[in-house]
Amino acid sequence: KYKREVIMKIGIFGGSFNPPDKMHKAIAKELINKKYVDLVIIVPTGIKYHYKNNLLGNDIRYRLLKEMTKNEDNILISTYEFQEKEVYTYETMEHYQKQYPDDELYFICGSDNMKYLKEWKEWEKLIEKYNLLVIPRNTKKVEEIKKEFAPYLEHIVIANMEANDISSTIIRNALKENNNELLKKYLDKEVLEDIVLNHLYQN
């Protein structure tokens, strides 16, 4: 490792990515283009995650993410949470801080997820030690966030962008119904081809 004069800003983008869709890529690219971060590391949750019981295998979601981002130099895909135990967000952030000790880490989070933040394990450690890069869903929620997390605002960045929701459930239903128009709208060509070729989400 070498010491850089300019600290790099790294966004850690967690989620199930079941499947990865165009909005996931658009968020990562826009955050880079607007200089909120220099690098985005997408961290798909492992199948041990207790809130989800319908996840495709770790290796499959990793492959789909790699296909979706193959032309993006500033987007990396992580396997860190593919462990034999559930991995918490603060542990992932600690892991990457060790990997990039001289850089500034941001956890990328939708404003809709902020209402659950205080239920996360070690949430205060997460918000005090690192930064949250919040993607707005609507203005009202942003104002609520500023009010509820007032003591931590120096660690919260509200991105000047709007993310349209793409529901993974809608995509999975469209796959079962062979709704090609919807699938082409929401999924990258390579991701859709892989899903169809390998009969993913058919059961």
Side-chain angles (χ1 to χ4, degrees), residues 151-168:
Y152 307 100
L153 285 182
E154 64 179 310
H155 290 282
I156 297 175
V157 177
I158 310 289
N160 183 23
M161 58 186 278
E162 194 84 26
N164 299 318
D165 282 325
I166 296 179
S167 163
S168 296

Side-chain angles (χ1 to χ4, degrees), residues 11-33 37 39-45 52 55 61-62 64-69 72 74-77 108-110 112-113 133 135 137 161-172 185-188 191 195 201:
I12 306 299
F13 191 0
S16 55
F17 304 101
N18 190 42
D21 59 53
K22 286 182 178 179
M23 183 50 59
H24 295 134
K25 185 162 83 169
I27 287 170
K29 288 181 70 172
E30 191 164 354
L31 289 174
I32 294 166
N33 291 339
V37 292
L39 175 74
V40 170
I41 301 175
I42 293 179
V43 187
T45 188
K52 302 274 185 181
L55 294 180
R61 286 177 295 125
Y62 176 80
L64 296 176
L65 281 162
K66 289 289 280 185
E67 287 170 353
M68 185 177 79
T69 59
E72 307 299 331
N74 294 344
I75 302 175
L76 306 179
I77 313 301
I108 299 165
C109 181
D112 50 331
N113 288 324
L133 182 48
I135 312 300
R137 299 295 192 196
M161 58 186 278
E162 194 84 26
N164 299 318
D165 282 325
I166 296 179
S167 163
S168 296
T169 305
I170 289 173
I171 294 174
R172 291 193 295 270
K185 180 181 175 184
Y186 287 161
L187 297 176
D188 266 52
V191 171
I195 288 171
Y201 298 107

Side-chain angles (χ1 to χ4, degrees), residues 40-58:
V40 170
I41 301 175
I42 293 179
V43 187
T45 188
I47 55 173
K48 297 293 182 182
Y49 185 56
H50 70 282
Y51 286 113
K52 302 274 185 181
N53 58 10
N54 62 349
L55 294 180
L56 286 180
N58 293 338

Side-chain angles (χ1 to χ4, degrees), residues 73-122:
D73 293 337
N74 294 344
I75 302 175
L76 306 179
I77 313 301
S78 165
T79 59
Y80 175 69
E81 292 193 4
F82 295 168
Q83 300 187 30
E84 287 303 309
K85 63 177 183 70
E86 184 169 358
V87 182
Y88 297 101
T89 300
Y90 82 93
E91 294 175 313
T92 299
M93 297 299 282
E94 285 180 343
H95 168 76
Y96 278 106
Q97 192 67 82
K98 287 173 187 168
Q99 298 287 310
Y100 299 93
D102 302 322
D103 298 312
E104 200 168 31
L105 263 58
Y106 292 77
F107 183 73
I108 299 165
C109 181
S111 61
D112 50 331
N113 288 324
M114 290 294 287
K115 63 183 175 185
Y116 305 113
L117 184 68
K118 290 183 178 178
E119 298 171 18
W120 294 8
K121 194 173 181 69
E122 303 280 9

